[in-house]
Amino acid sequence: MKISTFFYTLWQGIKNIFRNKLFSLASVATIGACLFLFGLFYSVLANFQHIVKTAEEDVCIVVYFDEDITDSRIEEIGNMIKRRAEVSKVNFVSADDAWETFKTEYLDGYSDGFLENPLADMANYEVYLNDVSMQSALVTYLESVPGVSEVKRSELTALTLSNANKLIGYISIGIIVILLAVSVFLISNTVTIGIAVRKEEISIMKYIGATDYFVRAPFVIEGIIIGLVGASIPLGIIYFVYNRALNFIKEQFSVLSSLLNFLTIDDIFKTLVPVSLIIGVGIGFFGSFITVRKHLRV
Amino acid sequence: MALSPRKKKKLMEDDEVIVMENVSKSYQAGVPALSNVNLRIKKGEFVFVVGDSGSGKSTFIKLLLRELIPTEGNLYVLNYNLNKIKHRKIPKFRRNLGVVFQDFRLLKDRNVYENVAFAQRIVEVPGSQIRKNVPKVLATVGLAGKYKAKPGKLSGGEQQRVAIARALVNRPTILLADEPTGNLDPNNSMEIMKLLEEINNAGTTVIMVTHNKDIVNAMQKRVITLRKGVVVSDHERGGYDDED
């Protein structure tokens, strides 16, 4: 294709958009809304996954011992746990360590009244796993080990997070699919109106000897530009809104922000920008391409 | 070893531009719009195709433009077999034709220059060439001074001249004119006919569909008369009255 033809086609595509201002605007708005929701769900989902992953890394089994257990037996049990394949890390927390941690985290300088260690029997092993799903099997094993009084687990937290993650994922996909279908339909309508408006011009082009490509290309370009604009606007909005929302959460819910580790906008945009642009351009191309093939038998 | 250029099979005589062999076209089974038409048109001829409404004139033009395909018979134009031409080759074929319509079919949102340049852009002529060709062809049709005017500001005769300029700018071998004087007064009609004659004298084959008796009688060119889809007469030099 000649460079002059390329620019002519591009210019015609841009002019088409302004010829059907209202329909173009409707298409941009729908794609924009679709990709805004996509971005929103993605941001929530990505953060959720990040939080779940962090939580999974922190999920550990705590193994407590019988009151009269000897130090050598504790060490023996520790070695047994370390040998298990599903175990990634084992930390021994002595009664003194446990008390120190408790004092720091919860008493904040008000521990002077305690003359003895109230957690004297709370020495334990923190057992970290390679895979959270192996937790039940390990717990069953540990509970049968002589000298172990109690095994505490946090499987419920991990499972709840995982399930919530999945649910949000399914809802997001459902809504996005519906919006994508509406976007394709609207782009198709916009292009159909464009073809109707330019019917006379297209018929002259055909008589003069325009190729299929030459007649169709401006409409496809129109669709792609609509898709591109429709994708860019929500990205800008998300950039603005995300940082504000993060600041708001940090200010208003400081407890949450200290517990949960949120992703930065840069982390979100690494995936969101290319995916949104590809989806926007893809919808534009697909919607206009199927329409010109259907309505423009040149 | 150098490859020899692939030669196109010769479908018609060198001096012929259109050959119709037993061409029929039916839109519905048993109702022919054109029936068993046989004719040969040579390069450089000026041919009138005349007939009343429903005689098959429009079908005749549409077949030549490859907008329609014959139901029966063979149609060759400029060595293209229009019964078998591939879809992707139709644009290249049409670039050999110039078309002028009764209602001008100009793009109202573009000026005279842009309307003519549009035809060149479509066939991907470089911009520098367009800037040379368009003023030249506008001068040929006598509209050099009105290149900036929008079609709405021009008279009917002037609009038809723009349409002719657009048809000519790509240097077609055949000019098809479908009732080009149908919307014009007698004076403008004669002006347009003079222009078409000049174009024909310059070597372009002109095929004009009309039912304007005065023009046909005045020009004394080849006249093919259609009635109910059948060629009832074909005179080398004749008038509209010759049909009977």
mmCIF file of all heavy atoms in Angstrom, chain A residues 1-2 4-5 8 12 15 19 200-201 203-212 214 297-298, chain B residues 65 67 87 91 94-95 97 99 101 105 107 109-110 118-119 121-124 126 166 170:
data_model
loop_
_atom_site.group_PDB
_atom_site.id
_atom_site.type_symbol
_atom_site.label_atom_id
_atom_site.label_comp_id
_atom_site.label_asym_id
_atom_site.label_seq_id
_atom_site.Cartn_x
_atom_site.Cartn_y
_atom_site.Cartn_z
ATOM 1 N N MET A 1 0.841 -1.193 0.000
ATOM 2 C CA MET A 1 0.000 0.000 0.000
ATOM 3 C C MET A 1 0.883 1.252 0.000
ATOM 4 O O MET A 1 1.867 1.323 0.721
ATOM 5 C CB MET A 1 -0.894 0.004 1.234
ATOM 6 C CG MET A 1 -1.835 1.179 1.269
ATOM 7 S SD MET A 1 -2.972 1.205 2.668
ATOM 8 C CE MET A 1 -1.892 1.098 4.056
ATOM 9 N N LYS A 2 0.449 2.218 -0.803
ATOM 10 C CA LYS A 2 1.217 3.463 -0.873
ATOM 11 C C LYS A 2 0.993 4.278 0.394
ATOM 12 O O LYS A 2 -0.086 4.246 0.977
ATOM 13 C CB LYS A 2 0.766 4.267 -2.089
ATOM 14 C CG LYS A 2 1.240 3.653 -3.392
ATOM 15 C CD LYS A 2 0.729 4.398 -4.586
ATOM 16 C CE LYS A 2 1.143 3.688 -5.851
ATOM 17 N NZ LYS A 2 0.428 4.124 -7.026
ATOM 18 N N SER A 4 0.645 7.449 0.697
ATOM 19 C CA SER A 4 -0.419 8.455 0.529
ATOM 20 C C SER A 4 -1.786 7.795 0.719
ATOM 21 O O SER A 4 -2.695 8.395 1.295
ATOM 22 C CB SER A 4 -0.329 9.107 -0.850
ATOM 23 O OG SER A 4 -0.417 8.129 -1.850
ATOM 24 N N THR A 5 -1.920 6.541 0.246
ATOM 25 C CA THR A 5 -3.192 5.821 0.400
ATOM 26 C C THR A 5 -3.446 5.533 1.875
ATOM 27 O O THR A 5 -4.577 5.635 2.356
ATOM 28 C CB THR A 5 -3.154 4.492 -0.385
ATOM 29 O OG1 THR A 5 -2.798 4.793 -1.712
ATOM 30 C CG2 THR A 5 -4.485 3.786 -0.351
ATOM 31 N N TYR A 8 -4.583 8.688 3.467
ATOM 32 C CA TYR A 8 -5.923 9.016 2.973
ATOM 33 C C TYR A 8 -6.965 8.151 3.694
ATOM 34 O O TYR A 8 -7.998 8.640 4.165
ATOM 35 C CB TYR A 8 -5.998 8.778 1.463
ATOM 36 C CG TYR A 8 -7.352 9.063 0.873
ATOM 37 C CD1 TYR A 8 -7.784 10.371 0.664
ATOM 38 C CD2 TYR A 8 -8.221 8.026 0.533
ATOM 39 C CE1 TYR A 8 -9.034 10.646 0.134
ATOM 40 C CE2 TYR A 8 -9.470 8.285 0.003
ATOM 41 C CZ TYR A 8 -9.866 9.596 -0.203
ATOM 42 O OH TYR A 8 -11.121 9.853 -0.723
ATOM 43 N N GLN A 12 -9.889 9.312 6.206
ATOM 44 C CA GLN A 12 -11.298 8.969 5.965
ATOM 45 C C GLN A 12 -11.908 8.299 7.200
ATOM 46 O O GLN A 12 -13.066 8.538 7.540
ATOM 47 C CB GLN A 12 -11.432 8.035 4.750
ATOM 48 C CG GLN A 12 -11.111 8.686 3.414
ATOM 49 C CD GLN A 12 -11.933 9.929 3.155
ATOM 50 O OE1 GLN A 12 -13.151 9.935 3.301
ATOM 51 N NE2 GLN A 12 -11.271 11.026 2.815
ATOM 52 N N LYS A 15 -12.610 10.949 9.675
ATOM 53 C CA LYS A 15 -13.772 11.738 9.248
ATOM 54 C C LYS A 15 -15.075 10.969 9.495
ATOM 55 O O LYS A 15 -16.087 11.554 9.884
ATOM 56 C CB LYS A 15 -13.647 12.088 7.760
ATOM 57 C CG LYS A 15 -12.840 13.355 7.535
ATOM 58 C CD LYS A 15 -12.465 13.538 6.102
ATOM 59 C CE LYS A 15 -13.508 14.237 5.288
ATOM 60 N NZ LYS A 15 -13.039 14.506 3.916
ATOM 61 N N ARG A 19 -18.506 12.146 11.264
ATOM 62 C CA ARG A 19 -19.766 12.158 10.501
ATOM 63 C C ARG A 19 -20.908 11.579 11.349
ATOM 64 O O ARG A 19 -22.033 12.021 11.251
ATOM 65 C CB ARG A 19 -19.614 11.337 9.223
ATOM 66 C CG ARG A 19 -18.952 12.116 8.115
ATOM 67 C CD ARG A 19 -19.040 11.338 6.807
ATOM 68 N NE ARG A 19 -18.252 11.976 5.791
ATOM 69 C CZ ARG A 19 -17.247 11.415 5.152
ATOM 70 N NH1 ARG A 19 -16.909 10.177 5.427
ATOM 71 N NH2 ARG A 19 -16.577 12.070 4.240
ATOM 72 N N GLU A 200 -23.828 6.544 -1.126
ATOM 73 C CA GLU A 200 -23.624 7.151 -2.438
ATOM 74 C C GLU A 200 -22.133 7.161 -2.800
ATOM 75 O O GLU A 200 -21.744 6.784 -3.899
ATOM 76 C CB GLU A 200 -24.179 8.586 -2.390
ATOM 77 C CG GLU A 200 -24.071 9.356 -3.693
ATOM 78 C CD GLU A 200 -25.118 8.933 -4.713
ATOM 79 O OE1 GLU A 200 -25.993 8.116 -4.364
ATOM 80 O OE2 GLU A 200 -25.031 9.397 -5.856
ATOM 81 N N GLU A 201 -21.336 7.594 -1.844
ATOM 82 C CA GLU A 201 -19.889 7.678 -2.069
ATOM 83 C C GLU A 201 -19.315 6.287 -2.358
ATOM 84 O O GLU A 201 -18.486 6.131 -3.257
ATOM 85 C CB GLU A 201 -19.245 8.272 -0.823
ATOM 86 C CG GLU A 201 -17.788 8.606 -0.998
ATOM 87 C CD GLU A 201 -17.188 9.231 0.258
ATOM 88 O OE1 GLU A 201 -17.947 9.838 1.038
ATOM 89 O OE2 GLU A 201 -15.972 9.096 0.439
ATOM 90 N N SER A 203 -20.890 3.738 -3.591
ATOM 91 C CA SER A 203 -21.319 3.266 -4.911
ATOM 92 C C SER A 203 -20.464 3.910 -6.008
ATOM 93 O O SER A 203 -20.070 3.243 -6.968
ATOM 94 C CB SER A 203 -22.815 3.521 -5.073
ATOM 95 O OG SER A 203 -23.084 4.377 -6.120
ATOM 96 N N ILE A 204 -20.135 5.199 -5.870
ATOM 97 C CA ILE A 204 -19.265 5.864 -6.862
ATOM 98 C C ILE A 204 -17.876 5.219 -6.843
ATOM 99 O O ILE A 204 -17.287 4.945 -7.891
ATOM 100 C CB ILE A 204 -19.163 7.386 -6.571
ATOM 101 C CG1 ILE A 204 -20.531 8.033 -6.740
ATOM 102 C CG2 ILE A 204 -18.157 8.054 -7.494
ATOM 103 C CD1 ILE A 204 -20.633 9.430 -6.133
ATOM 104 N N MET A 205 -17.397 4.968 -5.627
ATOM 105 C CA MET A 205 -16.066 4.339 -5.500
ATOM 106 C C MET A 205 -16.028 3.006 -6.237
ATOM 107 O O MET A 205 -15.056 2.680 -6.918
ATOM 108 C CB MET A 205 -15.730 4.120 -4.023
ATOM 109 C CG MET A 205 -15.383 5.382 -3.264
ATOM 110 S SD MET A 205 -15.386 5.117 -1.493
ATOM 111 C CE MET A 205 -13.698 4.646 -1.231
ATOM 112 N N LYS A 206 -17.099 2.242 -6.092
ATOM 113 C CA LYS A 206 -17.156 0.932 -6.743
ATOM 114 C C LYS A 206 -17.098 1.068 -8.263
ATOM 115 O O LYS A 206 -16.385 0.350 -8.941
ATOM 116 C CB LYS A 206 -18.448 0.211 -6.334
ATOM 117 C CG LYS A 206 -18.359 -0.404 -4.957
ATOM 118 C CD LYS A 206 -19.713 -0.670 -4.347
ATOM 119 C CE LYS A 206 -20.548 -1.655 -5.123
ATOM 120 N NZ LYS A 206 -21.881 -1.856 -4.500
ATOM 121 N N TYR A 207 -17.877 2.060 -8.793
ATOM 122 C CA TYR A 207 -17.898 2.243 -10.245
ATOM 123 C C TYR A 207 -16.538 2.697 -10.777
ATOM 124 O O TYR A 207 -16.155 2.366 -11.889
ATOM 125 C CB TYR A 207 -18.951 3.286 -10.644
ATOM 126 C CG TYR A 207 -20.371 2.781 -10.523
ATOM 127 C CD1 TYR A 207 -21.349 3.507 -9.863
ATOM 128 C CD2 TYR A 207 -20.738 1.561 -11.094
ATOM 129 C CE1 TYR A 207 -22.643 3.046 -9.756
ATOM 130 C CE2 TYR A 207 -22.026 1.090 -10.985
ATOM 131 C CZ TYR A 207 -22.978 1.833 -10.313
ATOM 132 O OH TYR A 207 -24.255 1.370 -10.212
ATOM 133 N N ILE A 208 -15.833 3.482 -9.977
ATOM 134 C CA ILE A 208 -14.545 4.013 -10.442
ATOM 135 C C ILE A 208 -13.456 2.935 -10.393
ATOM 136 O O ILE A 208 -12.477 3.000 -11.121
ATOM 137 C CB ILE A 208 -14.154 5.270 -9.624
ATOM 138 C CG1 ILE A 208 -15.130 6.403 -9.938
ATOM 139 C CG2 ILE A 208 -12.727 5.712 -9.926
ATOM 140 C CD1 ILE A 208 -15.016 7.611 -9.044
ATOM 141 N N GLY A 209 -13.653 1.931 -9.562
ATOM 142 C CA GLY A 209 -12.678 0.839 -9.520
ATOM 143 C C GLY A 209 -11.916 0.738 -8.220
ATOM 144 O O GLY A 209 -10.752 0.317 -8.202
ATOM 145 N N ALA A 210 -12.568 1.150 -7.117
ATOM 146 C CA ALA A 210 -11.908 1.011 -5.809
ATOM 147 C C ALA A 210 -11.858 -0.465 -5.424
ATOM 148 O O ALA A 210 -12.805 -1.210 -5.676
ATOM 149 C CB ALA A 210 -12.690 1.791 -4.759
ATOM 150 N N THR A 211 -10.755 -0.862 -4.823
ATOM 151 C CA THR A 211 -10.644 -2.255 -4.378
ATOM 152 C C THR A 211 -11.467 -2.445 -3.093
ATOM 153 O O THR A 211 -11.802 -1.465 -2.422
ATOM 154 C CB THR A 211 -9.176 -2.609 -4.057
ATOM 155 O OG1 THR A 211 -8.706 -1.674 -3.087
ATOM 156 C CG2 THR A 211 -8.295 -2.541 -5.288
ATOM 157 N N ASP A 212 -11.746 -3.689 -2.770
ATOM 158 C CA ASP A 212 -12.489 -4.007 -1.532
ATOM 159 C C ASP A 212 -11.779 -3.371 -0.356
ATOM 160 O O ASP A 212 -12.387 -2.761 0.514
ATOM 161 C CB ASP A 212 -12.519 -5.527 -1.286
ATOM 162 C CG ASP A 212 -13.410 -6.230 -2.272
ATOM 163 O OD1 ASP A 212 -13.843 -5.570 -3.233
ATOM 164 O OD2 ASP A 212 -13.663 -7.430 -2.089
ATOM 165 N N PHE A 214 -9.783 -0.793 -0.242
ATOM 166 C CA PHE A 214 -9.856 0.667 -0.218
ATOM 167 C C PHE A 214 -11.195 1.145 0.332
ATOM 168 O O PHE A 214 -11.267 2.140 1.050
ATOM 169 C CB PHE A 214 -9.641 1.209 -1.635
ATOM 170 C CG PHE A 214 -9.344 2.670 -1.679
ATOM 171 C CD1 PHE A 214 -8.044 3.128 -1.639
ATOM 172 C CD2 PHE A 214 -10.369 3.612 -1.748
ATOM 173 C CE1 PHE A 214 -7.761 4.481 -1.663
ATOM 174 C CE2 PHE A 214 -10.097 4.958 -1.776
ATOM 175 C CZ PHE A 214 -8.787 5.396 -1.735
ATOM 176 N N ARG A 297 -20.532 -5.605 0.390
ATOM 177 C CA ARG A 297 -20.116 -6.506 -0.683
ATOM 178 C C ARG A 297 -19.778 -5.614 -1.862
ATOM 179 O O ARG A 297 -20.672 -5.169 -2.588
ATOM 180 C CB ARG A 297 -21.265 -7.475 -1.003
ATOM 181 C CG ARG A 297 -20.963 -8.471 -2.099
ATOM 182 C CD ARG A 297 -20.035 -9.566 -1.641
ATOM 183 N NE ARG A 297 -19.654 -10.418 -2.769
ATOM 184 C CZ ARG A 297 -18.562 -11.142 -2.793
ATOM 185 N NH1 ARG A 297 -17.732 -11.108 -1.795
ATOM 186 N NH2 ARG A 297 -18.276 -11.901 -3.821
ATOM 187 N N VAL A 298 -18.484 -5.319 -2.021
ATOM 188 C CA VAL A 298 -18.103 -4.330 -3.066
ATOM 189 C C VAL A 298 -17.735 -4.994 -4.381
ATOM 190 O O VAL A 298 -17.523 -6.178 -4.425
ATOM 191 C CB VAL A 298 -16.934 -3.439 -2.584
ATOM 192 C CG1 VAL A 298 -17.414 -2.450 -1.557
ATOM 193 C CG2 VAL A 298 -15.809 -4.260 -2.044
ATOM 194 N N LEU B 65 -20.953 -2.731 -16.727
ATOM 195 C CA LEU B 65 -20.203 -2.334 -15.521
ATOM 196 C C LEU B 65 -19.877 -3.534 -14.634
ATOM 197 O O LEU B 65 -19.245 -3.387 -13.601
ATOM 198 C CB LEU B 65 -21.028 -1.343 -14.696
ATOM 199 C CG LEU B 65 -20.999 0.097 -15.159
ATOM 200 C CD1 LEU B 65 -22.110 0.886 -14.490
ATOM 201 C CD2 LEU B 65 -19.658 0.738 -14.850
ATOM 202 N N GLU B 67 -21.994 -5.029 -12.910
ATOM 203 C CA GLU B 67 -22.823 -4.970 -11.708
ATOM 204 C C GLU B 67 -23.749 -6.175 -11.738
ATOM 205 O O GLU B 67 -24.187 -6.669 -10.702
ATOM 206 C CB GLU B 67 -23.635 -3.674 -11.733
ATOM 207 C CG GLU B 67 -23.911 -3.101 -10.378
ATOM 208 C CD GLU B 67 -24.651 -1.780 -10.470
ATOM 209 O OE1 GLU B 67 -24.252 -0.911 -11.274
ATOM 210 O OE2 GLU B 67 -25.623 -1.639 -9.747
ATOM 211 N N HIS B 87 -13.899 -11.902 -8.634
ATOM 212 C CA HIS B 87 -14.343 -10.727 -7.871
ATOM 213 C C HIS B 87 -13.193 -9.738 -7.640
ATOM 214 O O HIS B 87 -13.351 -8.532 -7.784
ATOM 215 C CB HIS B 87 -14.946 -11.179 -6.537
ATOM 216 C CG HIS B 87 -15.371 -10.037 -5.671
ATOM 217 N ND1 HIS B 87 -16.509 -9.298 -5.916
ATOM 218 C CD2 HIS B 87 -14.780 -9.465 -4.592
ATOM 219 C CE1 HIS B 87 -16.596 -8.343 -5.016
ATOM 220 N NE2 HIS B 87 -15.574 -8.416 -4.198
ATOM 221 N N PRO B 91 -12.350 -4.492 -9.746
ATOM 222 C CA PRO B 91 -11.877 -3.094 -9.674
ATOM 223 C C PRO B 91 -10.915 -2.740 -10.810
ATOM 224 O O PRO B 91 -11.025 -1.679 -11.424
ATOM 225 C CB PRO B 91 -11.172 -3.029 -8.314
ATOM 226 C CG PRO B 91 -11.802 -4.099 -7.506
ATOM 227 C CD PRO B 91 -12.125 -5.195 -8.478
ATOM 228 N N ARG B 94 -12.857 -2.222 -13.924
ATOM 229 C CA ARG B 94 -13.673 -0.994 -13.930
ATOM 230 C C ARG B 94 -12.821 0.261 -14.125
ATOM 231 O O ARG B 94 -13.337 1.308 -14.517
ATOM 232 C CB ARG B 94 -14.475 -0.878 -12.633
ATOM 233 C CG ARG B 94 -15.663 -1.824 -12.619
ATOM 234 C CD ARG B 94 -16.496 -1.635 -11.386
ATOM 235 N NE ARG B 94 -17.627 -2.548 -11.373
ATOM 236 C CZ ARG B 94 -18.228 -2.981 -10.277
ATOM 237 N NH1 ARG B 94 -17.832 -2.566 -9.092
ATOM 238 N NH2 ARG B 94 -19.251 -3.806 -10.343
ATOM 239 N N ARG B 95 -11.537 0.161 -13.841
ATOM 240 C CA ARG B 95 -10.668 1.333 -14.021
ATOM 241 C C ARG B 95 -10.507 1.703 -15.494
ATOM 242 O O ARG B 95 -9.985 2.760 -15.820
ATOM 243 C CB ARG B 95 -9.299 1.075 -13.378
ATOM 244 C CG ARG B 95 -9.414 1.067 -11.867
ATOM 245 C CD ARG B 95 -8.140 0.724 -11.163
ATOM 246 N NE ARG B 95 -8.404 0.542 -9.740
ATOM 247 C CZ ARG B 95 -7.490 0.439 -8.802
ATOM 248 N NH1 ARG B 95 -6.212 0.501 -9.141
ATOM 249 N NH2 ARG B 95 -7.808 0.274 -7.549
ATOM 250 N N LEU B 97 -13.142 1.950 -17.359
ATOM 251 C CA LEU B 97 -14.419 2.565 -17.725
ATOM 252 C C LEU B 97 -14.590 3.889 -16.990
ATOM 253 O O LEU B 97 -14.170 4.030 -15.853
ATOM 254 C CB LEU B 97 -15.602 1.656 -17.333
ATOM 255 C CG LEU B 97 -15.553 0.179 -17.710
ATOM 256 C CD1 LEU B 97 -16.773 -0.529 -17.147
ATOM 257 C CD2 LEU B 97 -15.513 0.005 -19.226
ATOM 258 N N VAL B 99 -17.811 6.471 -15.931
ATOM 259 C CA VAL B 99 -19.277 6.415 -15.874
ATOM 260 C C VAL B 99 -19.860 7.783 -15.544
ATOM 261 O O VAL B 99 -19.380 8.469 -14.638
ATOM 262 C CB VAL B 99 -19.778 5.417 -14.790
ATOM 263 C CG1 VAL B 99 -21.211 5.007 -15.061
ATOM 264 C CG2 VAL B 99 -18.884 4.200 -14.710
ATOM 265 N N PHE B 101 -23.672 9.664 -14.821
ATOM 266 C CA PHE B 101 -25.077 9.350 -14.525
ATOM 267 C C PHE B 101 -25.981 10.562 -14.767
ATOM 268 O O PHE B 101 -25.519 11.702 -14.751
ATOM 269 C CB PHE B 101 -25.217 8.925 -13.057
ATOM 270 C CG PHE B 101 -24.374 7.738 -12.697
ATOM 271 C CD1 PHE B 101 -23.128 7.907 -12.103
ATOM 272 C CD2 PHE B 101 -24.821 6.453 -12.950
ATOM 273 C CE1 PHE B 101 -22.346 6.817 -11.768
ATOM 274 C CE2 PHE B 101 -24.039 5.355 -12.612
ATOM 275 C CZ PHE B 101 -22.796 5.533 -12.023
ATOM 276 N N ARG B 105 -24.364 12.414 -9.470
ATOM 277 C CA ARG B 105 -23.746 11.668 -8.344
ATOM 278 C C ARG B 105 -22.415 12.279 -7.903
ATOM 279 O O ARG B 105 -21.386 11.595 -7.830
ATOM 280 C CB ARG B 105 -23.556 10.197 -8.698
ATOM 281 C CG ARG B 105 -24.869 9.510 -8.939
ATOM 282 C CD ARG B 105 -24.766 8.040 -8.754
ATOM 283 N NE ARG B 105 -25.978 7.393 -9.221
ATOM 284 C CZ ARG B 105 -26.122 6.092 -9.324
ATOM 285 N NH1 ARG B 105 -25.149 5.284 -8.983
ATOM 286 N NH2 ARG B 105 -27.247 5.582 -9.761
ATOM 287 N N LEU B 107 -20.172 14.302 -4.942
ATOM 288 C CA LEU B 107 -20.122 14.341 -3.476
ATOM 289 C C LEU B 107 -20.349 15.787 -3.044
ATOM 290 O O LEU B 107 -19.515 16.657 -3.295
ATOM 291 C CB LEU B 107 -18.775 13.820 -2.975
ATOM 292 C CG LEU B 107 -18.461 12.384 -3.427
ATOM 293 C CD1 LEU B 107 -17.038 12.006 -3.078
ATOM 294 C CD2 LEU B 107 -19.440 11.394 -2.816
ATOM 295 N N ASP B 109 -20.411 17.327 -0.280
ATOM 296 C CA ASP B 109 -19.596 17.964 0.766
ATOM 297 C C ASP B 109 -18.194 18.321 0.275
ATOM 298 O O ASP B 109 -17.375 18.810 1.032
ATOM 299 C CB ASP B 109 -19.506 17.039 1.993
ATOM 300 C CG ASP B 109 -18.874 15.701 1.670
ATOM 301 O OD1 ASP B 109 -18.946 15.276 0.494
ATOM 302 O OD2 ASP B 109 -18.295 15.068 2.576
ATOM 303 N N ARG B 110 -17.907 18.024 -1.003
ATOM 304 C CA ARG B 110 -16.572 18.339 -1.533
ATOM 305 C C ARG B 110 -16.674 19.260 -2.738
ATOM 306 O O ARG B 110 -17.667 19.208 -3.476
ATOM 307 C CB ARG B 110 -15.869 17.036 -1.947
ATOM 308 C CG ARG B 110 -15.359 16.305 -0.719
ATOM 309 C CD ARG B 110 -15.042 14.886 -0.986
ATOM 310 N NE ARG B 110 -15.723 14.048 -0.027
ATOM 311 C CZ ARG B 110 -15.411 12.789 0.207
ATOM 312 N NH1 ARG B 110 -14.430 12.219 -0.447
ATOM 313 N NH2 ARG B 110 -16.082 12.097 1.099
ATOM 314 N N PHE B 118 -10.937 12.810 -6.177
ATOM 315 C CA PHE B 118 -11.448 11.610 -5.498
ATOM 316 C C PHE B 118 -11.285 10.362 -6.395
ATOM 317 O O PHE B 118 -10.847 9.301 -5.933
ATOM 318 C CB PHE B 118 -12.927 11.883 -5.182
ATOM 319 C CG PHE B 118 -13.689 10.732 -4.627
ATOM 320 C CD1 PHE B 118 -13.430 10.245 -3.359
ATOM 321 C CD2 PHE B 118 -14.713 10.135 -5.361
ATOM 322 C CE1 PHE B 118 -14.162 9.187 -2.837
ATOM 323 C CE2 PHE B 118 -15.446 9.086 -4.850
ATOM 324 C CZ PHE B 118 -15.165 8.609 -3.586
ATOM 325 N N ALA B 119 -11.593 10.541 -7.694
ATOM 326 C CA ALA B 119 -11.496 9.406 -8.628
ATOM 327 C C ALA B 119 -10.050 8.941 -8.773
ATOM 328 O O ALA B 119 -9.790 7.742 -8.959
ATOM 329 C CB ALA B 119 -12.049 9.801 -9.984
ATOM 330 N N ARG B 121 -7.671 9.360 -6.371
ATOM 331 C CA ARG B 121 -7.228 8.778 -5.090
ATOM 332 C C ARG B 121 -7.641 7.325 -4.998
ATOM 333 O O ARG B 121 -6.910 6.496 -4.473
ATOM 334 C CB ARG B 121 -7.833 9.558 -3.924
ATOM 335 C CG ARG B 121 -7.198 10.905 -3.754
ATOM 336 C CD ARG B 121 -7.160 11.349 -2.305
ATOM 337 N NE ARG B 121 -6.491 12.642 -2.224
ATOM 338 C CZ ARG B 121 -7.114 13.802 -2.358
ATOM 339 N NH1 ARG B 121 -8.418 13.849 -2.553
ATOM 340 N NH2 ARG B 121 -6.440 14.931 -2.296
ATOM 341 N N ILE B 122 -8.854 7.060 -5.494
ATOM 342 C CA ILE B 122 -9.391 5.699 -5.404
ATOM 343 C C ILE B 122 -8.501 4.704 -6.152
ATOM 344 O O ILE B 122 -8.336 3.570 -5.727
ATOM 345 C CB ILE B 122 -10.839 5.680 -5.953
ATOM 346 C CG1 ILE B 122 -11.750 6.321 -4.918
ATOM 347 C CG2 ILE B 122 -11.302 4.278 -6.296
ATOM 348 C CD1 ILE B 122 -13.107 6.628 -5.433
ATOM 349 N N VAL B 123 -7.940 5.156 -7.281
ATOM 350 C CA VAL B 123 -7.074 4.245 -8.033
ATOM 351 C C VAL B 123 -5.600 4.454 -7.648
ATOM 352 O O VAL B 123 -4.686 4.034 -8.359
ATOM 353 C CB VAL B 123 -7.302 4.357 -9.562
ATOM 354 C CG1 VAL B 123 -8.716 3.953 -9.911
ATOM 355 C CG2 VAL B 123 -7.014 5.768 -10.073
ATOM 356 N N GLU B 124 -5.405 5.110 -6.507
ATOM 357 C CA GLU B 124 -4.092 5.261 -5.877
ATOM 358 C C GLU B 124 -3.057 5.966 -6.739
ATOM 359 O O GLU B 124 -1.902 5.546 -6.853
ATOM 360 C CB GLU B 124 -3.575 3.906 -5.385
ATOM 361 C CG GLU B 124 -4.521 3.264 -4.377
ATOM 362 C CD GLU B 124 -3.950 2.032 -3.712
ATOM 363 O OE1 GLU B 124 -2.847 2.111 -3.172
ATOM 364 O OE2 GLU B 124 -4.622 0.990 -3.752
ATOM 365 N N PRO B 126 -0.498 8.932 -7.311
ATOM 366 C CA PRO B 126 0.245 9.761 -6.349
ATOM 367 C C PRO B 126 -0.260 11.207 -6.327
ATOM 368 O O PRO B 126 -0.694 11.727 -7.355
ATOM 369 C CB PRO B 126 1.691 9.705 -6.857
ATOM 370 C CG PRO B 126 1.741 8.554 -7.785
ATOM 371 C CD PRO B 126 0.366 8.344 -8.332
ATOM 372 N N ARG B 166 -14.681 13.850 -13.767
ATOM 373 C CA ARG B 166 -14.349 12.756 -12.841
ATOM 374 C C ARG B 166 -14.238 11.425 -13.594
ATOM 375 O O ARG B 166 -13.368 10.607 -13.309
ATOM 376 C CB ARG B 166 -15.443 12.656 -11.771
ATOM 377 C CG ARG B 166 -15.151 11.633 -10.694
ATOM 378 C CD ARG B 166 -16.255 11.569 -9.663
ATOM 379 N NE ARG B 166 -17.502 11.097 -10.266
ATOM 380 C CZ ARG B 166 -18.688 11.166 -9.672
ATOM 381 N NH1 ARG B 166 -18.798 11.693 -8.476
ATOM 382 N NH2 ARG B 166 -19.775 10.707 -10.275
ATOM 383 N N ASN B 170 -9.233 9.458 -15.067
ATOM 384 C CA ASN B 170 -8.428 8.224 -15.035
ATOM 385 C C ASN B 170 -8.187 7.650 -16.437
ATOM 386 O O ASN B 170 -7.803 6.485 -16.577
ATOM 387 C CB ASN B 170 -9.095 7.181 -14.138
ATOM 388 C CG ASN B 170 -9.038 7.569 -12.670
ATOM 389 O OD1 ASN B 170 -8.177 8.362 -12.269
ATOM 390 N ND2 ASN B 170 -9.952 7.062 -11.874
#
